[in-house]
């Protein structure tokens, strides 16, 4: 267990904190919920930077990092559906894509295959997703249209990961 992996585990621990804050009656619950999301994003950037810069990339981290990202994203999607900020169709597509990536990752790791570390495409998609969350959280105009663009990009990114996975494991 190294520092990047500890940051990833910390990010997983932020998920129940997010739900608690989002559905609370605090005066600034949306601002606090957004802070939790951005704290998760900041730890994601930091753990990736530390892992790559100091040669601390591990198989565990390569599996846990995207899992933590996807579980946080799925948590936010679920909260937005419950709160009527997005439709079930949007949520379904996001959940389908993210669960597919999680299950494929777990399956291939258990088969002894190499995992694909996060790429620029994946990180860019995450940043754009966080911006969509910001827009949806505060109900900005065109937020749903922007999220549709992010959903499309997320599927493009998935195909990119599939190609990289195949190249690494053939």
């Amino acid at each position: 267990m190294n520092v990047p992996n500890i940051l990833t585990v910390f990010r997983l621990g932020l998920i129940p904190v997010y739900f608690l804050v989002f559905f609370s009656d605090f005066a600034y619950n949306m601002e606090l919920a957004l802070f939790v999301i951005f704290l998760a994003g900041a730890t994601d950037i930091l753990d990736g930077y530390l892992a790559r810069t100091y040669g601390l990339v591990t198989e565990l981290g390569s599996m846990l990092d995207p899992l933590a990202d996807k579980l946080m994203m799925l948590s936010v999607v679920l909260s937005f559906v419950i709160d009527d900020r997005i439709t079930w169709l949007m949520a379904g597509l996001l959940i389908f894509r993210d669960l597919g990536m999680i299950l494929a990752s777990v399956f291939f790791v258990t088969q002894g295959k190499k995992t694909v570390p996060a790429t620029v495409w994946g990180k860019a998609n995450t940043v754009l997703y966080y911006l969509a969350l910001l827009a949806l959280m505060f109900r900005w105009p065109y937020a749903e249209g922007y999220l549709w663009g992010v959903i499309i990009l997320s599927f493009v990114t998935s195909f990119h990961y599939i190609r990289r996975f195949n190249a690494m494991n053939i």
Side-chain angles (χ1 to χ4, degrees):
M1 201 53 129
N2 59 29
V3 172
N5 290 347
I6 291 168
L7 288 170
T8 300
V9 171
F10 173 76
R11 195 162 67 250
L12 286 167
L14 288 175
I15 292 169
V17 173
Y18 166 78
F19 277 113
L20 177 71
V21 171
F22 185 87
F23 290 110
S24 72
D25 289 331
F26 297 136
Y28 296 100
N29 68 323
M30 287 302 119
E31 288 84 356
L32 289 171
L34 183 63
F35 174 77
V36 172
I37 293 167
F38 282 120
L39 180 60
T43 61
D44 182 28
I45 291 167
L46 181 60
D47 77 51
Y49 170 78
L50 293 173
R52 286 186 294 280
T53 302
Y54 296 103
L56 299 172
V57 175
T58 64
E59 281 293 318
L60 176 65
S62 292
M63 186 176 73
L64 282 182
D65 181 70
L67 177 66
D69 292 344
K70 299 206 182 344
L71 288 176
M72 178 57 87
M73 288 183 181
L74 291 172
S75 298
V76 174
V77 166
L78 179 61
S79 70
F80 281 10
V81 168
I82 292 168
D83 201 44
D84 289 326
R85 291 171 190 270
I86 63 172
T87 67
W88 275 105
L89 176 60
M90 295 171 112
L93 289 170
L94 288 165
I95 291 168
F96 173 77
R97 185 267 184 177
D98 284 348
L99 281 179
M101 294 290 285
I102 291 168
L103 294 175
S105 220
V106 169
F107 173 77
F108 291 124
V109 166
T110 61
Q111 300 300 310
K113 303 286 185 184
K114 294 178 185 175
T115 58
V116 179
T119 66
V120 172
W121 279 97
K123 293 298 180 182
N125 189 69
T126 300
V127 169
L128 294 172
Y129 181 77
Y130 282 124
L131 292 173
L133 298 181
L134 174 67
L136 288 161
M137 189 161 284
F138 294 102
R139 300 185 189 270
W140 292 351
Y142 309 109
E144 280 193 31
Y146 178 74
L147 182 60
W148 277 117
V150 173
I151 290 170
I152 292 166
L153 179 62
S154 72
F155 278 93
V156 170
T157 302
S158 295
F159 291 120
H160 175 72
Y161 275 105
I162 291 167
R163 286 184 337 138
R164 292 223 28 221
F165 172 81
N166 285 334
M168 288 175 62
N169 287 287
I170 291 181

